[in-house]
Amino acid sequence: MAKKPTQKPQDESRRRFLKYSGTAIGGVVVGGVIGGIIGSSNQKRGEDAEPGETKTPAAESNRDYNQALMFFNQDQFMITEAASERIFPADENGPGAKELGAAFFIDHQMASAYGMNARDYMMPPFYKAEASQGYQLSFKRRELLALGLDALNEYSSDKYKKTFTKLAPEEQDAVLSDFEKDKVNLKGVPASTFFSLLQSLTIEGVYADPLYGGNKNMAGWKMRNYPGNQMSFYDDIEKEEFIKMEPLSLHDHLELG
């Protein structure tokens, strides 16, 4: 009795069809030039690579993925970086705001709910506030900061014929001082309000947990011998002498856990 011919599974037949017919694009099988190019490319890869070898780009072990812009454009970021460095400059005690990545911290804050004043009452009417009343303007923090950064450039160009980032350090100090003393017209907003916000954000960026973009390598904490976010002080809390600890970030607890 003759045996029936063995039929190959349908999925194997389909794979063979795609393999020898080119490639499927948008549900249409294409041969000719496109199929020839892809087939040639596949053949070349097979000749160059060893069997079982997969070539992948090498990852940089020291790459900091937290240093990425979320709100600023490139010009605004560079102005922020330069201005924050004058507010917290590098000296013999350690790095300044630029090296510590404070500008990235500020950028991330402006992209967050904080920059949008999401938890603040922002409805009119708006009145001129007393100094003791805090922030009372209609501008959101991100709007105020963007307005002030543009004004830094305009004021620098008017006074020195150069943009803020091109000024000498002492000239940058003079410009920032004029903003701090309300010598600049900032379109209805006190220039000192912008300067105060920028100053506060710079200091926060220097000393905040690195998880938020600044305080790179916890160097801001190391300058102050601040221990950061330790899991516990149970073994040391009652000791009389000063104990210097290697600081820990919130991120370190993920690795320790």
Side-chain angles (χ1 to χ4, degrees):
M1 183 176 180
K3 293 183 179 181
K4 293 183 179 179
T6 304
Q7 294 183 350
K8 295 186 176 180
Q10 183 178 357
D11 58 337
E12 183 178 345
S13 300
R14 185 170 180 272
R15 284 198 298 271
R16 289 171 57 83
F17 175 69
L18 292 175
K19 178 179 179 181
Y20 293 116
S21 301
T23 184
I25 300 178
V28 179
V29 178
V30 181
V33 177
I34 298 178
I37 292 173
I38 295 176
S40 174
S41 176
N42 289 337
Q43 183 178 4
K44 185 176 181 180
R45 283 201 299 269
E47 293 172 355
D48 294 343
E50 294 294 330
E53 178 184 358
T54 303
K55 294 185 177 180
T56 56
E60 296 180 21
S61 58
N62 61 346
R63 182 180 297 174
D64 187 352
Y65 292 96
N66 223 3
Q67 292 197 332
L69 296 184
M70 299 179 180
F71 172 73
F72 289 143
N73 60 38
Q74 195 65 33
D75 288 339
Q76 290 171 332
F77 174 77
M78 292 177 67
I79 297 170
T80 302
E81 197 172 54
S84 63
E85 179 67 16
R86 298 314 306 154
I87 292 171
F88 193 94
D91 59 18
E92 66 278 2
N93 296 311
K98 181 177 180 178
E99 186 177 342
L100 289 169
F104 285 107
F105 169 85
I106 297 172
D107 169 76
H108 295 181
Q109 291 298 300
M110 293 304 100
S112 71
Y114 174 80
M116 289 289 292
N117 293 69
R119 297 185 178 181
D120 299 336
Y121 183 82
M122 298 292 292
M123 300 296 290
F126 299 99
Y127 299 102
K128 184 176 180 180
E130 300 296 330
S132 60
Q133 291 180 303
Y135 188 81
Q136 297 289 324
L137 299 174
S138 61
F139 287 93
K140 295 172 182 172
R141 293 185 184 94
R142 64 195 298 176
E143 296 170 342
L144 174 61
L145 200 65
L147 178 67
L149 293 174
D150 291 342
L152 278 178
N153 248 3
E154 293 176 7
Y155 186 75
S156 300
S157 298
D158 290 342
K159 188 171 183 177
Y160 296 104
K161 309 305 177 187
K162 292 181 288 186
T163 57
F164 184 81
T165 58
K166 301 297 183 183
L167 299 181
E170 59 272 14
E171 293 172 333
Q172 291 176 336
D173 290 346
V175 169
L176 290 170
S177 179
D178 286 348
F179 274 74
E180 184 181 18
K181 297 174 181 177
D182 278 328
K183 293 183 178 181
V184 183
N185 181 14
L186 200 59
K187 299 179 181 178
V189 181
S192 60
T193 302
F194 157 73
F195 176 82
S196 179
L197 176 63
L198 179 62
Q199 183 183 47
S200 296
L201 287 168
T202 296
I203 302 303
E204 290 171 18
V206 167
Y207 293 120
D209 193 288
L211 189 69
Y212 299 104
N215 190 14
K216 188 174 183 180
N217 297 323
M218 294 178 280
W221 288 348
K222 291 174 182 177
M223 283 190 287
R224 296 279 185 173
N225 289 322
Y226 179 68
N229 294 292
Q230 300 287 329
M231 290 287 285
S232 171
F233 297 96
Y234 181 81
D235 294 331
D236 305 306
I237 193 68
E238 295 184 358
K239 294 180 180 178
E240 296 291 338
E241 72 275 14
F242 176 78
I243 301 173
K244 187 174 182 179
M245 300 179 177
E246 188 67 20
L248 291 177
S249 164
L250 289 169
H251 183 269
D252 293 325
H253 298 319
L254 298 175
E255 299 177 351
L256 293 173

